[in-house]
mmCIF file of all heavy atoms in Angstrom:
data_model
loop_
_atom_site.group_PDB
_atom_site.id
_atom_site.type_symbol
_atom_site.label_atom_id
_atom_site.label_comp_id
_atom_site.label_asym_id
_atom_site.label_seq_id
_atom_site.Cartn_x
_atom_site.Cartn_y
_atom_site.Cartn_z
ATOM 1 N N LEU A 505 -43.436 -17.348 -17.450
ATOM 2 C CA LEU A 505 -42.542 -17.598 -18.592
ATOM 3 C C LEU A 505 -41.082 -17.355 -18.221
ATOM 4 O O LEU A 505 -40.190 -18.109 -18.631
ATOM 5 C CB LEU A 505 -42.952 -16.704 -19.772
ATOM 6 C CG LEU A 505 -44.322 -16.990 -20.402
ATOM 7 C CD1 LEU A 505 -44.630 -15.983 -21.497
ATOM 8 C CD2 LEU A 505 -44.362 -18.408 -20.976
ATOM 9 N N GLU A 506 -40.825 -16.316 -17.446
ATOM 10 C CA GLU A 506 -39.451 -16.028 -17.032
ATOM 11 C C GLU A 506 -38.881 -17.147 -16.163
ATOM 12 O O GLU A 506 -37.717 -17.540 -16.316
ATOM 13 C CB GLU A 506 -39.391 -14.698 -16.283
ATOM 14 C CG GLU A 506 -39.589 -13.479 -17.181
ATOM 15 C CD GLU A 506 -39.619 -12.190 -16.392
ATOM 16 O OE1 GLU A 506 -39.666 -12.267 -15.143
ATOM 17 O OE2 GLU A 506 -39.592 -11.102 -17.017
ATOM 18 N N LEU A 507 -39.690 -17.688 -15.249
ATOM 19 C CA LEU A 507 -39.227 -18.797 -14.414
ATOM 20 C C LEU A 507 -38.941 -20.037 -15.243
ATOM 21 O O LEU A 507 -37.944 -20.754 -15.012
ATOM 22 C CB LEU A 507 -40.267 -19.100 -13.332
ATOM 23 C CG LEU A 507 -40.409 -18.061 -12.214
ATOM 24 C CD1 LEU A 507 -41.584 -18.412 -11.310
ATOM 25 C CD2 LEU A 507 -39.127 -17.965 -11.399
ATOM 26 N N GLN A 508 -39.823 -20.323 -16.213
ATOM 27 C CA GLN A 508 -39.591 -21.480 -17.076
ATOM 28 C C GLN A 508 -38.309 -21.333 -17.890
ATOM 29 O O GLN A 508 -37.512 -22.270 -18.016
ATOM 30 C CB GLN A 508 -40.794 -21.660 -18.006
ATOM 31 C CG GLN A 508 -42.049 -22.148 -17.304
ATOM 32 C CD GLN A 508 -43.205 -22.312 -18.269
ATOM 33 O OE1 GLN A 508 -43.067 -22.079 -19.471
ATOM 34 N NE2 GLN A 508 -44.364 -22.717 -17.742
ATOM 35 N N MET A 509 -38.079 -20.130 -18.437
ATOM 36 C CA MET A 509 -36.853 -19.900 -19.217
ATOM 37 C C MET A 509 -35.610 -20.034 -18.337
ATOM 38 O O MET A 509 -34.602 -20.621 -18.752
ATOM 39 C CB MET A 509 -36.907 -18.505 -19.855
ATOM 40 C CG MET A 509 -37.929 -18.383 -20.978
ATOM 41 S SD MET A 509 -38.149 -16.676 -21.509
ATOM 42 C CE MET A 509 -36.540 -16.326 -22.148
ATOM 43 N N LYS A 510 -35.662 -19.515 -17.127
ATOM 44 C CA LYS A 510 -34.511 -19.609 -16.230
ATOM 45 C C LYS A 510 -34.222 -21.066 -15.859
ATOM 46 O O LYS A 510 -33.062 -21.494 -15.820
ATOM 47 C CB LYS A 510 -34.773 -18.774 -14.981
ATOM 48 C CG LYS A 510 -33.584 -18.710 -14.023
ATOM 49 C CD LYS A 510 -33.888 -17.869 -12.810
ATOM 50 C CE LYS A 510 -33.903 -16.397 -13.165
ATOM 51 N NZ LYS A 510 -34.053 -15.540 -11.950
ATOM 52 N N GLN A 511 -35.261 -21.855 -15.586
ATOM 53 C CA GLN A 511 -35.067 -23.258 -15.237
ATOM 54 C C GLN A 511 -34.498 -24.040 -16.417
ATOM 55 O O GLN A 511 -33.595 -24.880 -16.249
ATOM 56 C CB GLN A 511 -36.401 -23.864 -14.781
ATOM 57 C CG GLN A 511 -36.295 -25.297 -14.302
ATOM 58 C CD GLN A 511 -35.416 -25.432 -13.066
ATOM 59 O OE1 GLN A 511 -35.409 -24.543 -12.225
ATOM 60 N NE2 GLN A 511 -34.687 -26.529 -12.963
ATOM 61 N N LEU A 512 -35.022 -23.770 -17.624
ATOM 62 C CA LEU A 512 -34.511 -24.457 -18.813
ATOM 63 C C LEU A 512 -33.051 -24.084 -19.082
ATOM 64 O O LEU A 512 -32.242 -24.941 -19.450
ATOM 65 C CB LEU A 512 -35.382 -24.113 -20.026
ATOM 66 C CG LEU A 512 -36.794 -24.720 -20.026
ATOM 67 C CD1 LEU A 512 -37.639 -24.114 -21.124
ATOM 68 C CD2 LEU A 512 -36.723 -26.240 -20.196
ATOM 69 N N GLU A 513 -32.708 -22.820 -18.889
ATOM 70 C CA GLU A 513 -31.318 -22.401 -19.077
ATOM 71 C C GLU A 513 -30.397 -23.098 -18.074
ATOM 72 O O GLU A 513 -29.272 -23.505 -18.415
ATOM 73 C CB GLU A 513 -31.209 -20.882 -18.943
ATOM 74 C CG GLU A 513 -31.812 -20.120 -20.115
ATOM 75 C CD GLU A 513 -31.823 -18.617 -19.858
ATOM 76 O OE1 GLU A 513 -31.385 -18.217 -18.754
ATOM 77 O OE2 GLU A 513 -32.275 -17.861 -20.739
ATOM 78 N N HIS A 514 -30.858 -23.238 -16.843
ATOM 79 C CA HIS A 514 -30.054 -23.938 -15.832
ATOM 80 C C HIS A 514 -29.852 -25.401 -16.212
ATOM 81 O O HIS A 514 -28.726 -25.940 -16.117
ATOM 82 C CB HIS A 514 -30.737 -23.821 -14.473
ATOM 83 C CG HIS A 514 -30.055 -24.594 -13.391
ATOM 84 N ND1 HIS A 514 -28.830 -24.235 -12.866
ATOM 85 C CD2 HIS A 514 -30.427 -25.752 -12.750
ATOM 86 C CE1 HIS A 514 -28.465 -25.111 -11.946
ATOM 87 N NE2 HIS A 514 -29.416 -26.035 -11.851
ATOM 88 N N ASP A 515 -30.911 -26.083 -16.679
ATOM 89 C CA ASP A 515 -30.789 -27.489 -17.056
ATOM 90 C C ASP A 515 -29.875 -27.657 -18.259
ATOM 91 O O ASP A 515 -29.061 -28.602 -18.313
ATOM 92 C CB ASP A 515 -32.184 -28.046 -17.374
ATOM 93 C CG ASP A 515 -33.090 -28.042 -16.138
ATOM 94 O OD1 ASP A 515 -32.545 -27.950 -15.011
ATOM 95 O OD2 ASP A 515 -34.327 -28.100 -16.300
ATOM 96 N N ILE A 516 -29.977 -26.738 -19.226
ATOM 97 C CA ILE A 516 -29.110 -26.824 -20.408
ATOM 98 C C ILE A 516 -27.644 -26.635 -20.012
ATOM 99 O O ILE A 516 -26.752 -27.335 -20.502
ATOM 100 C CB ILE A 516 -29.543 -25.774 -21.451
ATOM 101 C CG1 ILE A 516 -30.915 -26.149 -22.042
ATOM 102 C CG2 ILE A 516 -28.510 -25.646 -22.554
ATOM 103 C CD1 ILE A 516 -31.548 -25.055 -22.873
ATOM 104 N N GLU A 517 -27.385 -25.696 -19.110
ATOM 105 C CA GLU A 517 -26.010 -25.455 -18.665
ATOM 106 C C GLU A 517 -25.451 -26.667 -17.934
ATOM 107 O O GLU A 517 -24.276 -27.031 -18.108
ATOM 108 C CB GLU A 517 -25.982 -24.226 -17.754
ATOM 109 C CG GLU A 517 -24.579 -23.820 -17.313
ATOM 110 C CD GLU A 517 -24.603 -22.604 -16.417
ATOM 111 O OE1 GLU A 517 -25.702 -22.073 -16.155
ATOM 112 O OE2 GLU A 517 -23.508 -22.187 -15.973
ATOM 113 N N VAL A 518 -26.271 -27.334 -17.124
ATOM 114 C CA VAL A 518 -25.806 -28.526 -16.402
ATOM 115 C C VAL A 518 -25.478 -29.646 -17.373
ATOM 116 O O VAL A 518 -24.445 -30.331 -17.234
ATOM 117 C CB VAL A 518 -26.885 -28.965 -15.387
ATOM 118 C CG1 VAL A 518 -26.545 -30.330 -14.801
ATOM 119 C CG2 VAL A 518 -27.006 -27.942 -14.269
ATOM 120 N N LEU A 519 -26.333 -29.867 -18.380
ATOM 121 C CA LEU A 519 -26.074 -30.930 -19.349
ATOM 122 C C LEU A 519 -24.848 -30.639 -20.202
ATOM 123 O O LEU A 519 -24.104 -31.564 -20.578
ATOM 124 C CB LEU A 519 -27.303 -31.115 -20.246
ATOM 125 C CG LEU A 519 -28.509 -31.809 -19.593
ATOM 126 C CD1 LEU A 519 -29.705 -31.799 -20.531
ATOM 127 C CD2 LEU A 519 -28.164 -33.245 -19.216
ATOM 128 N N GLU A 520 -24.614 -29.378 -20.550
ATOM 129 C CA GLU A 520 -23.449 -29.045 -21.354
ATOM 130 C C GLU A 520 -22.157 -29.112 -20.545
ATOM 131 O O GLU A 520 -21.093 -29.429 -21.084
ATOM 132 C CB GLU A 520 -23.613 -27.638 -21.945
ATOM 133 C CG GLU A 520 -24.665 -27.573 -23.046
ATOM 134 C CD GLU A 520 -24.819 -26.167 -23.602
ATOM 135 O OE1 GLU A 520 -24.300 -25.229 -22.945
ATOM 136 O OE2 GLU A 520 -25.448 -26.004 -24.652
ATOM 137 N N LYS A 521 -22.242 -28.834 -19.265
ATOM 138 C CA LYS A 521 -21.046 -28.823 -18.428
ATOM 139 C C LYS A 521 -20.627 -30.232 -18.038
ATOM 140 O O LYS A 521 -19.432 -30.555 -18.065
ATOM 141 C CB LYS A 521 -21.315 -27.975 -17.182
ATOM 142 C CG LYS A 521 -20.112 -27.800 -16.286
ATOM 143 C CD LYS A 521 -20.448 -26.878 -15.119
ATOM 144 C CE LYS A 521 -19.243 -26.682 -14.220
ATOM 145 N NZ LYS A 521 -19.555 -25.802 -13.069
ATOM 146 N N HIS A 522 -21.564 -31.079 -17.668
ATOM 147 C CA HIS A 522 -21.270 -32.446 -17.219
ATOM 148 C C HIS A 522 -21.603 -33.414 -18.356
ATOM 149 O O HIS A 522 -22.757 -33.535 -18.778
ATOM 150 C CB HIS A 522 -22.090 -32.795 -15.979
ATOM 151 C CG HIS A 522 -21.850 -31.840 -14.840
ATOM 152 N ND1 HIS A 522 -20.719 -31.869 -14.058
ATOM 153 C CD2 HIS A 522 -22.613 -30.821 -14.368
ATOM 154 C CE1 HIS A 522 -20.786 -30.915 -13.155
ATOM 155 N NE2 HIS A 522 -21.926 -30.256 -13.309
ATOM 156 N N LYS A 523 -20.551 -34.081 -18.843
ATOM 157 C CA LYS A 523 -20.763 -35.026 -19.940
ATOM 158 C C LYS A 523 -21.178 -36.403 -19.444
ATOM 159 O O LYS A 523 -21.699 -37.206 -20.232
ATOM 160 C CB LYS A 523 -19.467 -35.139 -20.749
ATOM 161 C CG LYS A 523 -19.083 -33.838 -21.431
ATOM 162 C CD LYS A 523 -17.851 -34.010 -22.267
ATOM 163 C CE LYS A 523 -17.468 -32.718 -22.983
ATOM 164 N NZ LYS A 523 -16.267 -32.857 -23.815
ATOM 165 N N VAL A 524 -20.934 -36.686 -18.178
ATOM 166 C CA VAL A 524 -21.331 -37.980 -17.600
ATOM 167 C C VAL A 524 -22.460 -37.728 -16.619
ATOM 168 O O VAL A 524 -22.255 -37.010 -15.621
ATOM 169 C CB VAL A 524 -20.138 -38.671 -16.908
ATOM 170 C CG1 VAL A 524 -20.578 -39.995 -16.316
ATOM 171 C CG2 VAL A 524 -18.989 -38.849 -17.880
ATOM 172 N N ILE A 525 -23.638 -38.275 -16.876
ATOM 173 C CA ILE A 525 -24.817 -38.033 -16.050
ATOM 174 C C ILE A 525 -25.415 -39.390 -15.675
ATOM 175 O O ILE A 525 -25.547 -40.289 -16.513
ATOM 176 C CB ILE A 525 -25.861 -37.170 -16.780
ATOM 177 C CG1 ILE A 525 -25.233 -35.798 -17.109
ATOM 178 C CG2 ILE A 525 -27.125 -36.980 -15.956
ATOM 179 C CD1 ILE A 525 -26.101 -34.940 -17.979
#
Side-chain angles (χ1 to χ4, degrees):
L505 294 177
E506 288 176 351
L507 289 173
Q508 289 180 1
M509 290 171 64
K510 185 180 286 186
Q511 184 63 35
L512 289 169
E513 288 173 358
H514 175 70
D515 296 342
I516 291 169
E517 184 180 359
V518 170
L519 286 174
E520 288 179 346
K521 184 177 181 181
H522 302 284
K523 296 183 179 180
V524 180
I525 299 172

